[in-house]
Amino acid sequence: MLKHRVIPVLLLRNNGLVKTTCFKNPKYVGDPVNAVRIFNEKEVDELMLLDIAASKENREPNFAMIEQIAGECFMPLAYGGGVRSVEQAQRIYALGVEKICIQTAALESPTLVTDLALRFGSQSVMVSVDVKRNWMGRPYIYGSAKTLSRGANWIERIQQLVDAGAGEVLLNAVDKDGTMEGPDLALIQQISQVIEVPLVAVGGVGSLGDIKAAVDAGASAVAAGAFFVYHGPHRAVLITYPKYDELEALFSVENHEP
Amino acid sequence: MNSEVIGLIDYGVGNLGSIQRMIERVGGCTSLISNASELSNVKKIILPGVGHYSEGVRALKSLGFWGALLEFSRCENTSIFGICLGMQLLCRHSEEGDIEGLGLVDATVEKFYFPQRLSLKVPHMGWNTLRMVRDNPLLRADNEELRFYFVHSYKVVPKNPEISIGNCEYGGEFCAAFQQNNVFGVQFHPEKSHRFGMALMKRFVEL
């Protein structure tokens, strides 16, 4: 039976790992290569590495860092941050990265999604969408690199990117980021009912129960940052990951029949 | 411990680094084979691959590998191990591109189609369990459930069900690993399946 993936997200900023809250106030968490080694030992399902400064600062992905990290991973690795061209993507795939995650470039020009999908296969292309809720609670797409809201209906925009060839959608609930107060289940539910490709939900996971809730709401996989790098009420840095049988027990309660 | 060098076909499709690293981690050694003449230096090869079937066929043909691989498989004491797209290329034909494969294995490649009610997404992406179907040199069941990382939209359909050595469940069982004489194939990515992949690679190294 297909397992639901539980994916640690590592945010990269200037060669260091950081963790944000609602996409603000990045705090240094540690050395990325070291963190990856630890996750490797814990046999995580998959790892996501997102460079949160690349697009903002208009620079290239840190290929050397990506290579180092990919060298440590014996599980799938997704990379996002500053990817704007097929050439950059090709270079990154060649380093051992399974999936490329694009956001800014995709929102600006969905044809990049199509080009990548045609060349490397849809399953290698993930689009990441940051969704915030406005003062009325209505969701809108927040392009975090350019900090502009993107107007058009958020569901339609995501559908557009999926139609363009994205094999997976990373849905980031900005308001929940780093809070560990639970995912935005309504958001997950709404989008998962519409798109046909796997949905990875991220933002707000604070417990195993949250992971299950996100899956029950329609997420194919759940990603988390703070939940795997912080521990305790004072948010001390400690890298953790649930044991396989804990996750098995968590998901076996649900009725997921093919 | 078998210290033979394993040839890793480098045809510009798929990432070889992870496969190389895993093989080294389990005590083997690899050599990149980027042109067909180098095939004569090795007895075991791995055919990796990710992406579109037609592109895989085109790349193999343009580098002169097509006929050479067929010849290689007929030599004595050789083994070929196809991974993901590599496994599919060993088959007769794929719906992806409606194009002929190497035909080393009696199987075809078809897309996953699921009726709406199943609400199963394509590609099949993530960790899934493998049910070993018969004894074989690559997989060992032991007591623990075997699981591997899959990411594919097309599946292998053997014409002869006996070549299947491992099946996986996704909207019905499909062939996730096969063996036909000296030709092996796995749909999943052992190089991305941490210790499960390592155990399998180790057995290929020690074959």
Side-chain angles (χ1 to χ4, degrees):
Chain A
M1 221 222 69
L2 187 67
K3 313 285 173 184
H4 295 288
R5 292 164 289 147
V6 176
I7 309 170
V9 179
L10 300 179
L11 302 180
L12 203 62
R13 187 169 171 264
N14 304 325
N15 298 341
L17 277 191
V18 298
K19 188 61 205 88
T20 49
T21 306
C22 298
F23 280 34
K24 295 182 171 36
N25 304 321
K27 298 236 176 321
Y28 180 74
V29 160
D31 171 66
V33 179
N34 198 39
V36 170
R37 282 197 190 118
I38 296 176
F39 279 124
N40 212 17
E41 274 163 47
K42 292 184 183 295
E43 294 176 357
V44 302
D45 291 339
E46 192 169 318
L47 214 48
M48 275 193 81
L49 183 68
L50 301 177
D51 185 332
I52 59 173
S55 276
K56 244 185 222 141
E57 295 166 9
N58 253 321
R59 59 166 172 74
E60 288 228 298
N62 186 340
F63 296 108
M65 170 74 73
I66 296 172
E67 182 167 18
Q68 254 199 301
I69 289 180
E72 299 289 337
C73 282
F74 283 134
M75 73 283 290
L77 175 64
Y79 170 82
V83 179
R84 317 193 63 86
S85 72
V86 173
E87 292 66 39
Q88 285 173 328
Q90 165 135 53
R91 211 171 145 187
I92 294 172
Y93 287 123
L95 294 174
V97 170
E98 259 55 57
K99 300 178 207 176
I100 298 230
C101 185
I102 51 176
Q103 182 183 107
T104 309
L107 288 172
E108 283 170 8
S109 159
T111 47
L112 177 62
V113 176
T114 310
D115 292 340
L116 289 175
L118 281 176
R119 181 83 180 267
F120 306 106
S122 280
Q123 56 258 35
S124 313
V125 184
M126 188 191 258
V127 287
S128 154
V129 183
D130 300 331
V131 179
K132 235 171 142 41
R133 286 184 186 275
N134 68 10
W135 64 277
M136 285 195 322
R138 237 190 351 185
Y140 65 94
I141 294 190
Y142 175 77
S144 53
K146 311 283 177 182
T147 51
L148 288 172
S149 80
R150 297 280 163 164
N153 178 280
W154 68 289
I155 297 185
E156 272 167 28
R157 279 307 224 118
I158 295 178
Q159 185 65 63
Q160 200 183 32
L161 294 172
V162 171
D163 289 341
E168 226 177 346
V169 172
L170 176 69
L171 177 71
N172 219 323
V174 179
D175 301 320
K176 298 290 190 180
D177 171 57
T179 61
M180 293 202 273
E181 43 179 58
D184 190 329
L185 297 174
L187 222 56
I188 297 171
Q189 208 157 28
Q190 274 190 283
I191 200 65
S192 67
Q193 277 164 4
V194 173
I195 61 167
E196 277 145 28
V197 299
L199 176 72
V200 184
V202 66
V205 167
S207 68
L208 287 181
D210 285 342
I211 294 177
K212 174 132 178 27
V215 165
D216 288 345
S220 309
V222 180
F227 183 54
F228 296 131
V229 305
Y230 284 141
H231 184 72
H234 304 294
R235 290 161 75 99
V237 174
L238 178 72
I239 291 182
T240 62
Y241 188 79
K243 290 219 168 25
Y244 182 68
D245 37 29
E246 280 180 277
L247 291 175
E248 245 202 327
L250 183 70
F251 293 127
S252 66
V253 192
E254 69 164 15
N255 193 15
H256 186 87
E257 59 146 63
Chain B
M1 166 65 73
N2 192 337
S3 59
E4 269 177 23
V5 172
I6 297 178
L8 191 48
I9 310 287
D10 181 4
Y11 60 116
V13 172
N15 137 64
L16 309 178
S18 309
I19 297 178
Q20 278 183 297
R21 276 188 293 268
M22 186 171 270
I23 295 200
E24 278 154 30
R25 181 69 72 94
V26 300
C29 58
T30 57
S31 143
L32 288 185
I33 303 227
S34 37
N35 80 74
S37 60
E38 292 165 13
L39 282 173
S40 49
N41 302 335
V42 291
K43 288 283 190 192
K44 280 187 200 160
I45 59 172
I46 292 182
L47 182 67
V50 159
H52 204 284
Y53 201 87
S54 319
E55 177 54 27
V57 170
R58 187 209 61 76
L60 281 175
K61 285 186 171 165
S62 75
L63 290 168
F65 276 117
W66 204 253
L69 284 171
L70 293 167
E71 254 182 63
F72 181 86
S73 73
R74 291 186 206 119
C75 292
E76 259 193 66
N77 297 325
T78 57
S79 324
I80 302 183
F81 181 21
I83 295 178
C84 196
L85 178 66
M87 174 201 197
Q88 295 179 352
L89 287 167
L90 297 170
C91 302
R92 297 199 181 293
H93 174 273
S94 176
E95 278 182 3
E96 187 178 29
D98 186 17
I99 191 173
E100 306 287 297
L102 286 161
L104 288 180
V105 169
D106 197 6
T108 56
V109 180
E110 296 170 16
K111 187 150 202 201
F112 275 118
Y113 277 118
F114 301 118
Q116 271 279 58
R117 63 177 172 84
L118 288 191
S119 53
L120 284 178
K121 316 243 189 216
V122 177
H124 173 220
M125 171 152 55
W127 288 79
N128 206 338
T129 43
L130 191 77
R131 182 175 75 84
M132 203 172 86
V133 175
R134 63 165 168 84
D135 269 340
N136 66 85
L138 280 195
L139 300 166
R140 202 131 306 155
D142 293 331
N143 284 321
E144 198 191 7
E145 193 183 67
L146 291 176
R147 61 183 197 275
F148 297 95
Y149 184 77
F150 289 81
V151 55
H152 58 118
S153 305
Y154 290 76
K155 59 178 177 173
V156 168
V157 181
K159 287 292 170 259
N160 172 12
E162 277 172 28
I163 66 173
S164 234
I165 56 175
N167 287 345
C168 179
E169 167 77 46
Y170 193 61
E173 271 205 340
F174 70 89
C175 174
F178 62 42
Q179 173 197 9
Q180 186 172 297
N181 304 316
N182 61 337
V183 179
F184 299 88
V186 297
Q187 182 64 75
F188 49 83
H189 288 272
E191 75 282 13
K192 293 292 160 176
S193 302
H194 46 72
R195 71 182 154 87
F196 300 94
M198 286 194 259
L200 189 152
M201 291 292 218
K202 189 158 199 283
R203 268 177 237 117
F204 184 67
V205 165
E206 291 171 357
L207 253 190

Short mmCIF file of all heavy atoms in Angstrom, two decimals, chain B residues 100-121:
data_model
loop_
_atom_site.label_atom_id
_atom_site.label_comp_id
_atom_site.label_asym_id
_atom_site.label_seq_id
_atom_site.Cartn_x
_atom_site.Cartn_y
_atom_site.Cartn_z
N GLU B 100 9.00 1.09 -29.57
CA GLU B 100 9.59 -0.20 -29.21
C GLU B 100 10.76 -0.02 -28.25
O GLU B 100 11.57 0.89 -28.41
CB GLU B 100 10.14 -0.91 -30.47
CG GLU B 100 9.13 -1.08 -31.58
CD GLU B 100 8.10 -2.14 -31.24
OE1 GLU B 100 8.49 -3.30 -31.10
OE2 GLU B 100 6.92 -1.79 -31.11
N GLY B 101 10.85 -0.93 -27.29
CA GLY B 101 11.99 -0.93 -26.36
C GLY B 101 13.01 -1.95 -26.82
O GLY B 101 12.94 -2.48 -27.93
N LEU B 102 13.95 -2.25 -25.94
CA LEU B 102 15.01 -3.20 -26.29
C LEU B 102 14.49 -4.61 -26.52
O LEU B 102 15.10 -5.40 -27.23
CB LEU B 102 16.08 -3.23 -25.18
CG LEU B 102 16.98 -2.01 -25.14
CD1 LEU B 102 17.66 -1.89 -23.78
CD2 LEU B 102 18.03 -2.08 -26.23
N GLY B 103 13.37 -4.94 -25.87
CA GLY B 103 12.79 -6.26 -26.08
C GLY B 103 13.57 -7.40 -25.45
O GLY B 103 13.44 -8.55 -25.84
N LEU B 104 14.40 -7.08 -24.44
CA LEU B 104 15.16 -8.14 -23.78
C LEU B 104 14.26 -8.95 -22.85
O LEU B 104 14.57 -10.07 -22.46
CB LEU B 104 16.30 -7.54 -22.95
CG LEU B 104 17.46 -6.97 -23.76
CD1 LEU B 104 18.52 -6.40 -22.82
CD2 LEU B 104 18.08 -8.06 -24.61
N VAL B 105 13.16 -8.34 -22.47
CA VAL B 105 12.26 -8.99 -21.53
C VAL B 105 10.85 -9.00 -22.12
O VAL B 105 10.44 -8.03 -22.76
CB VAL B 105 12.29 -8.22 -20.19
CG1 VAL B 105 11.19 -8.69 -19.27
CG2 VAL B 105 13.64 -8.40 -19.52
N ASP B 106 10.16 -10.10 -21.89
CA ASP B 106 8.84 -10.28 -22.49
C ASP B 106 7.77 -9.53 -21.70
O ASP B 106 6.99 -10.11 -20.93
CB ASP B 106 8.54 -11.79 -22.51
CG ASP B 106 7.42 -12.11 -23.46
OD1 ASP B 106 6.96 -11.19 -24.17
OD2 ASP B 106 6.98 -13.28 -23.47
N ALA B 107 7.74 -8.23 -21.89
CA ALA B 107 6.80 -7.40 -21.15
C ALA B 107 6.57 -6.11 -21.92
O ALA B 107 7.38 -5.73 -22.77
CB ALA B 107 7.36 -7.08 -19.76
N THR B 108 5.46 -5.46 -21.61
CA THR B 108 5.22 -4.14 -22.21
C THR B 108 5.03 -3.13 -21.10
O THR B 108 4.91 -3.50 -19.92
CB THR B 108 3.97 -4.15 -23.10
OG1 THR B 108 2.87 -4.59 -22.31
CG2 THR B 108 4.14 -5.02 -24.32
N VAL B 109 4.98 -1.87 -21.49
CA VAL B 109 4.86 -0.80 -20.50
C VAL B 109 3.58 -0.03 -20.78
O VAL B 109 3.35 0.44 -21.90
CB VAL B 109 6.08 0.15 -20.59
CG1 VAL B 109 5.96 1.27 -19.56
CG2 VAL B 109 7.36 -0.64 -20.39
N GLU B 110 2.72 0.08 -19.75
CA GLU B 110 1.43 0.73 -19.93
C GLU B 110 1.21 1.81 -18.88
O GLU B 110 1.76 1.73 -17.78
CB GLU B 110 0.32 -0.31 -19.79
CG GLU B 110 0.37 -1.37 -20.88
CD GLU B 110 -0.57 -2.55 -20.61
OE1 GLU B 110 -1.48 -2.42 -19.75
OE2 GLU B 110 -0.37 -3.59 -21.26
N LYS B 111 0.35 2.76 -19.22
CA LYS B 111 0.10 3.85 -18.28
C LYS B 111 -0.84 3.37 -17.16
O LYS B 111 -1.68 2.51 -17.38
CB LYS B 111 -0.54 5.02 -19.02
CG LYS B 111 -0.68 6.27 -18.16
CD LYS B 111 -0.61 7.57 -18.88
CE LYS B 111 -0.22 8.61 -17.83
NZ LYS B 111 -0.50 9.94 -18.12
N PHE B 112 -0.70 3.97 -16.01
CA PHE B 112 -1.66 3.73 -14.94
C PHE B 112 -2.95 4.44 -15.29
O PHE B 112 -2.94 5.64 -15.55
CB PHE B 112 -1.16 4.35 -13.63
CG PHE B 112 -0.23 3.51 -12.84
CD1 PHE B 112 1.06 3.95 -12.58
CD2 PHE B 112 -0.62 2.28 -12.31
CE1 PHE B 112 1.95 3.19 -11.83
CE2 PHE B 112 0.27 1.51 -11.56
CZ PHE B 112 1.55 1.97 -11.32
N TYR B 113 -4.06 3.71 -15.33
CA TYR B 113 -5.36 4.37 -15.50
C TYR B 113 -6.25 3.92 -14.37
O TYR B 113 -6.39 2.71 -14.16
CB TYR B 113 -6.01 3.96 -16.83
CG TYR B 113 -5.52 4.74 -18.01
CD1 TYR B 113 -4.87 4.12 -19.06
CD2 TYR B 113 -5.71 6.13 -18.08
CE1 TYR B 113 -4.42 4.84 -20.14
CE2 TYR B 113 -5.25 6.85 -19.16
CZ TYR B 113 -4.60 6.20 -20.19
OH TYR B 113 -4.15 6.90 -21.27
N PHE B 114 -6.83 4.84 -13.68
CA PHE B 114 -7.72 4.43 -12.60
C PHE B 114 -9.08 5.07 -12.78
O PHE B 114 -9.18 6.23 -13.13
CB PHE B 114 -7.15 4.87 -11.24
CG PHE B 114 -5.81 4.30 -10.94
CD1 PHE B 114 -4.72 5.14 -10.76
CD2 PHE B 114 -5.61 2.93 -10.85
CE1 PHE B 114 -3.47 4.63 -10.49
CE2 PHE B 114 -4.36 2.41 -10.57
CZ PHE B 114 -3.29 3.26 -10.39
N PRO B 115 -10.14 4.31 -12.52
CA PRO B 115 -11.46 4.94 -12.54
C PRO B 115 -11.54 6.01 -11.46
O PRO B 115 -10.89 5.88 -10.41
CB PRO B 115 -12.43 3.78 -12.25
CG PRO B 115 -11.60 2.67 -11.73
CD PRO B 115 -10.20 2.88 -12.16
N GLN B 116 -12.29 7.05 -11.72
CA GLN B 116 -12.46 8.19 -10.81
C GLN B 116 -12.68 7.79 -9.36
O GLN B 116 -12.10 8.35 -8.44
CB GLN B 116 -13.66 9.04 -11.25
CG GLN B 116 -13.33 10.11 -12.25
CD GLN B 116 -12.74 11.34 -11.57
OE1 GLN B 116 -11.73 11.27 -10.89
NE2 GLN B 116 -13.38 12.46 -11.73
N ARG B 117 -13.50 6.79 -9.17
CA ARG B 117 -13.93 6.45 -7.81
C ARG B 117 -12.75 6.03 -6.92
O ARG B 117 -12.82 6.10 -5.72
CB ARG B 117 -14.99 5.34 -7.84
CG ARG B 117 -14.42 4.05 -8.44
CD ARG B 117 -15.42 2.89 -8.43
NE ARG B 117 -14.86 1.78 -9.17
CZ ARG B 117 -14.04 0.89 -8.64
NH1 ARG B 117 -13.68 0.98 -7.37
NH2 ARG B 117 -13.55 -0.08 -9.37
N LEU B 118 -11.68 5.59 -7.55
CA LEU B 118 -10.55 5.15 -6.75
C LEU B 118 -9.80 6.32 -6.13
O LEU B 118 -9.06 6.16 -5.19
CB LEU B 118 -9.58 4.32 -7.59
CG LEU B 118 -10.02 2.92 -8.00
CD1 LEU B 118 -8.85 2.16 -8.60
CD2 LEU B 118 -10.55 2.15 -6.81
N SER B 119 -9.96 7.47 -6.70
CA SER B 119 -9.21 8.67 -6.34
C SER B 119 -7.74 8.39 -6.06
O SER B 119 -7.20 8.74 -5.01
CB SER B 119 -9.84 9.42 -5.17
OG SER B 119 -10.05 8.58 -4.08
N LEU B 120 -7.11 7.72 -7.00
CA LEU B 120 -5.68 7.47 -6.89
C LEU B 120 -4.95 8.38 -7.86
O LEU B 120 -5.35 8.53 -9.00
CB LEU B 120 -5.36 6.02 -7.27
CG LEU B 120 -5.69 4.97 -6.23
CD1 LEU B 120 -5.37 3.59 -6.74
CD2 LEU B 120 -4.90 5.22 -4.93
N LYS B 121 -3.90 9.01 -7.37
CA LYS B 121 -3.20 9.96 -8.23
C LYS B 121 -2.13 9.28 -9.06
O LYS B 121 -1.54 8.27 -8.67
CB LYS B 121 -2.54 11.04 -7.35
CG LYS B 121 -3.44 11.56 -6.24
CD LYS B 121 -3.76 13.02 -6.39
CE LYS B 121 -4.48 13.53 -5.14
NZ LYS B 121 -5.48 14.52 -5.38
#
